Amino acid sequence: MLFGKKKKETAVTPQLVSAQRSPTGNMVLPAAVEPYEKELYDRLRAAVPIIDAAIMKIIRLTGGFRVICSDETYQDSLDSFLENVPVGISGCSVGTFVDNFLDSMLTYGSAAGEIASDPDSRRIAGLWIGDISKIRISVGKDPFARRYDMILPDGSVRAVEHPENILYASLTGGKSLLRGLPALSSILLRIYECIGQNFDRAGNVRYAVTYKPSGDQGDMVYTRERAKQIAREWADGMNSAKYGQVKDFVAVGDVDIKVIGADNQLFDTNVPVRQLLEQLVAKLSIPPFLLGLSWSSTERMSAQQADILTSELEYYRRLLTPVICEIGNSYLCSVGSEAVCRVEWDNINLQDESALADARLKNAQALEIELRNQRSITE
């Protein structure tokens, strides 16, 4: 009977969830970042400028977007909200929030934000970027729902009262984009430190003035006095050069002047430094020419690197799209609308625009040729 007895609803519980639950009943997901990892990645970006530059370029190259409402009557209101919504103390607009959100996700592997609501007006007061190292994520009552716990300064854990206001996204496995780079970066920084020390020793030219007295008894008696006089005159001549005065050094006897370290040769660090930079660039998926690395590459290779970068940016856009839609849907719900949002991303660069235009032109030309052939056949 179709409308007779009501079908009994059963909760869906995957077997893997029950097998991996902790004794407290919640399964802790590998998403939150440990405090020492967060500090390590922050110091890594500060110590190696090329890593920080690559992440900032990824954020800027991800591009802009526009949120489209399914109900056109709310489109202007939605646009005004997204352009003026406060984002913590860093600025306004949902674009600012997305930039900070993506920065956290790339650096730490995951990012968390919050839709702060005003309890009096029941409207959205602003958006906030959370500290991912102070958030613990586990499975809630529903195996497909998250439970968010805040780690307090005293080490205790408190559940978030309104988990529906939390925005969360992570890379594959929740692993940072910088994972594996600290070891390579430590070697790179060690090479740079050695280069600096070598230039401190040999790069700043120093002289060795040697006075060789003859076998006369007079030279043997006044050797110390003459050595002091030579040292004094040499120092006076070198100090005068600081003020643009050129003085000749005149000495009597056998005086030998040599540059200290002139016979030594500095180590060539181009090969090891480039090998390390290649590993860093491969991990960050950024073409070398975007980071100012003038490595030899053909035009075809540069085009392939740009295509690879485009696929990486599309991956980040797929992670950000649900977060942006959730913000827009929350605003529409707060104003009493049942409409939903979708995100339209801008093309990554003008080369995509030209390629699309060229493809449309060729399709139109092909269609015109087909129609012309059909006409000739019918005639």
Side-chain angles (χ1 to χ4, degrees), residues 225-237 239 249:
E225 287 76 5
R226 290 182 179 179
K228 291 181 179 180
Q229 183 180 6
I230 292 173
R232 184 171 59 252
E233 295 298 330
W234 178 264
D236 181 65
N239 292 330
F249 177 72

Side-chain angles (χ1 to χ4, degrees), residues 178-313:
L178 308 181
R179 186 187 183 191
L181 297 186
L184 296 175
S185 301
S186 63
I187 300 174
L188 182 63
L189 294 177
R190 198 180 311 161
I191 294 176
Y192 286 148
E193 183 180 1
C194 293
I195 293 175
Q197 292 177 352
N198 289 333
F199 271 90
D200 288 339
R201 295 172 180 174
N204 189 6
V205 180
R206 291 172 293 177
Y207 299 92
V209 182
T210 305
Y211 169 60
K212 300 178 181 179
S214 61
D216 298 340
Q217 185 176 1
D219 289 344
M220 299 298 294
V221 173
Y222 298 102
T223 299
R224 180 175 299 179
E225 287 76 5
R226 290 182 179 179
K228 291 181 179 180
Q229 183 180 6
I230 292 173
R232 184 171 59 252
E233 295 298 330
W234 178 264
D236 181 65
M238 297 299 292
N239 292 330
S240 299
K242 297 180 181 179
Y243 304 98
Q245 298 179 2
V246 179
K247 289 186 177 181
D248 297 329
F249 177 72
V250 180
V252 178
D254 188 3
V255 179
D256 186 17
I257 301 176
K258 292 183 179 180
V259 178
I260 298 177
D263 297 334
N264 295 329
Q265 184 178 2
L266 296 178
F267 292 103
D268 186 9
T269 59
N270 290 328
V271 174
V273 168
R274 176 167 177 173
Q275 290 179 350
L276 293 174
L277 291 179
E278 287 175 349
Q279 296 291 328
L280 297 179
V281 170
K283 189 68 169 64
L284 299 172
S285 301
I286 290 289
F289 57 85
L290 290 181
L291 299 174
L293 301 175
S294 57
W295 294 342
S296 59
S297 62
T298 61
E299 183 179 357
R300 183 174 181 84
M301 183 183 299
S302 300
Q304 292 177 351
Q305 290 174 349
D307 293 338
I308 295 174
L309 176 61
T310 302
S311 63
E312 293 288 334
L313 298 178

Side-chain angles (χ1 to χ4, degrees), residues 23-202:
T24 59
N26 294 326
M27 183 180 67
V28 178
L29 300 178
V33 178
E34 296 294 336
Y36 73 89
E37 291 181 333
K38 182 177 182 297
E39 184 178 2
L40 175 62
Y41 294 143
D42 290 338
R43 292 186 176 183
L44 183 61
R45 290 185 59 174
V48 185
I50 194 172
I51 295 178
D52 185 71
I55 292 179
M56 297 305 297
K57 279 183 172 56
I58 290 175
I59 295 173
R60 288 192 292 267
L61 290 173
T62 304
F65 57 88
R66 188 169 185 266
V67 182
I68 308 299
C69 181
S70 59
D71 190 348
E72 295 182 356
T73 58
Y74 290 94
Q75 185 63 52
D76 294 338
S77 176
L78 177 63
D79 292 339
S80 177
F81 165 76
L82 295 178
E83 291 176 1
N84 301 291
V85 58
V87 182
I89 59 176
S90 58
C92 298
S93 79
V94 69
T96 302
F97 174 81
V98 171
D99 290 344
N100 294 329
F101 194 87
L102 181 58
D103 185 274
S104 176
M105 187 165 55
L106 295 176
T107 306
Y108 312 121
S110 56
E114 182 181 2
I115 303 176
S117 59
D118 188 356
D120 297 332
S121 62
R122 297 183 180 272
R123 296 291 182 92
I124 297 178
L127 305 175
W128 189 267
I129 296 291
D131 187 353
I132 195 63
S133 64
K134 298 180 180 179
I135 300 175
R136 179 178 297 174
I137 303 174
S138 57
V139 175
K141 298 179 180 179
D142 187 344
F144 299 102
R146 301 188 188 98
R147 170 189 171 91
Y148 301 99
D149 296 324
M150 293 297 299
I151 302 176
L152 301 180
D154 58 356
S156 60
V157 179
R158 184 184 65 186
V160 177
E161 296 181 359
H162 299 283
E164 66 277 3
N165 294 338
I166 301 299
L167 304 170
Y168 175 79
S170 65
L171 301 179
T172 304
K175 303 301 181 181
S176 170
L177 187 65
L178 308 181
R179 186 187 183 191
L181 297 186
L184 296 175
S185 301
S186 63
I187 300 174
L188 182 63
L189 294 177
R190 198 180 311 161
I191 294 176
Y192 286 148
E193 183 180 1
C194 293
I195 293 175
Q197 292 177 352
N198 289 333
F199 271 90
D200 288 339
R201 295 172 180 174

